[in-house]
Amino acid sequence: MSSREKEQTIALSAIFQAAELVSILAKTGQVDNASLQPLLESLLMVNAASTEDIYGGQWDCSTNLALGRKISRQALGKERSSVNPDTLRYALSLIHLENKLAKTPEMLSTIGQKIAQIEQKKAHYESVLHENMLASISGMYQDTLSKLSFRIQVHGDSRFLQQPQVANQVRAILMSGIRAAMLWRQLGGKRWHLIFKRKALLNALESRH
């Protein structure tokens, strides 16, 4: 098992965590902030020293991505059928959408500018979970990724999805999932690895305590 595969599992765990949170939020209108916060904060970690640092550093990374790591293990292992089908679809859709984004340099540049603006805004609020921060991240998603030809269709309870705050949270989580998918690609991850490198990725996931 290479250190590259260990790093890839961090990105993969973040993708699956974002996908699972969107699935839960769309159906219940609620989300676990302990799982959400590290994903949103990763958007502002532009010059992290290591992959682990993007999600809280060496000691907190495993805790912060525990949900995503569990789902990744299930999705790549023998418990695939226990993973919510929507979660699997969102995870693969995030990887697909990020591939399209990577071919659009102007949009990447716009996202970079908007992240810098959001980072400045964070100084005025106590947390990235503040509704104004969520609205800004959601707006970034709407102004950029929503305009690509491929769109992620979110299924859930319309009573929740029609609430502006929930809609903002969904788009903010999807944005963080795109961040993770970008990291996955930058670390050499490819969609076919989820089929043909499953054993190596599973070993790397199992070794992360």
Side-chain angles (χ1 to χ4, degrees):
M1 176 183 59
S2 69
S3 60
R4 176 54 60 99
E5 279 157 359
K6 276 194 164 188
E7 286 188 282
Q8 285 176 352
T9 61
I10 294 174
L12 198 60
S13 296
I15 292 170
F16 273 104
Q17 187 151 310
E20 175 76 353
L21 291 183
V22 167
S23 180
I24 292 169
L25 181 59
K27 292 183 178 75
T28 67
Q30 294 182 318
V31 71
D32 172 35
N33 283 341
S35 297
L36 172 60
Q37 187 162 352
L39 293 183
L40 297 182
E41 286 180 344
S42 74
L43 286 164
L44 306 178
M45 293 292 288
V46 182
N47 297 308
S50 71
T51 303
E52 286 176 328
D53 283 349
I54 296 170
Y55 296 101
Q58 185 178 0
W59 305 114
D60 292 331
C61 183
S62 287
T63 306
N64 288 342
L65 296 179
L67 173 65
R69 204 167 74 253
K70 176 184 143 198
I71 308 258
S72 299
R73 282 206 302 261
Q74 290 173 335
L76 294 170
K78 293 173 182 169
E79 298 176 67
R80 188 184 171 102
S81 60
S82 67
V83 180
N84 186 319
D86 281 340
T87 298
L88 281 174
R89 183 171 60 81
Y90 296 147
L92 293 173
S93 295
L94 284 165
I95 292 171
H96 184 65
L97 184 58
E98 193 281 326
N99 274 328
K100 292 204 170 293
L101 172 63
K103 299 181 178 83
T104 319
E106 317 84 45
M107 191 173 285
L108 280 167
S109 175
T110 301
I111 288 173
Q113 291 163 11
K114 287 182 179 293
I115 284 172
Q117 291 165 5
I118 291 168
E119 201 168 13
Q120 288 178 327
K121 198 176 275 192
K122 194 188 174 201
H124 301 288
Y125 301 106
E126 71 281 1
S127 166
V128 74
L129 296 171
H130 191 282
E131 61 185 58
N132 288 0
M133 291 292 290
L134 287 163
S136 294
I137 298 169
S138 169
M140 172 168 60
Y141 187 92
Q142 280 182 298
D143 292 342
T144 54
L145 290 150
S146 287
K147 292 182 164 48
L148 290 172
S149 56
F150 176 79
R151 292 187 178 193
I152 299 176
Q153 299 293 327
V154 175
H155 299 303
D157 189 323
S158 59
R159 287 175 306 166
F160 301 124
L161 290 172
Q162 285 168 3
Q163 293 174 18
Q165 192 176 358
V166 172
N168 280 342
Q169 282 184 309
V170 166
R171 284 189 287 264
I173 297 167
L174 289 175
M175 194 79 227
S176 73
I178 291 293
R179 164 72 166 117
M182 185 180 290
L183 185 62
W184 161 255
R185 180 177 52 77
Q186 288 168 342
L187 292 167
K190 293 186 170 36
R191 190 166 166 160
W192 59 265
H193 288 174
L194 301 178
I195 300 167
F196 297 109
K197 285 185 70 179
R198 278 163 66 177
K199 193 163 184 187
L201 289 167
L202 263 174
N203 287 341
L205 280 163
E206 295 293 348
S207 75
R208 297 195 64 79
H209 299 299

